[in-house]
Amino acid sequence: VAGAVRAATGRKGAALYTIPGMPPDLSRNIEGCPFVPRCEFAQEQCKQPVALKDIAPGHATACLRVQKNEITL
């Protein structure tokens, strides 16, 4: 997911990063991150609700790994 943001906001002509599987069903109540089943960086704690955190002007994330600077956008 983070790679898709980077490709969409900066590098012209760069291939969009994709993750396997289908997008989450937003009609269901999802606890925690809706990308847990598809994210290669997901951890058990990602299944718990997380608040948005500003990471740059005009940009926020609910990804715990990004919030902890374990992965970058």
Side-chain angles (χ1 to χ4, degrees):
V1 177
V5 172
R6 185 177 333 126
T9 60
R11 300 175 291 158
K12 290 185 178 183
L16 184 63
Y17 177 80
T18 60
I19 56 177
M22 297 296 294
D25 179 358
L26 299 179
S27 68
R28 296 180 332 143
N29 184 22
I30 300 171
E31 294 275 333
C33 180
F35 294 100
V36 165
R38 303 168 52 200
C39 179
E40 66 185 290
F41 303 108
Q43 297 177 334
E44 192 63 30
Q45 63 189 354
C46 298
K47 295 178 182 178
Q48 304 302 318
V50 178
L52 282 173
K53 179 180 176 183
D54 290 331
I55 58 169
H59 297 279
T61 184
C63 179
L64 290 170
R65 305 293 304 272
V66 173
Q67 290 181 4
K68 294 178 180 181
N69 293 317
E70 294 174 353
I71 58 175
T72 59
L73 294 178

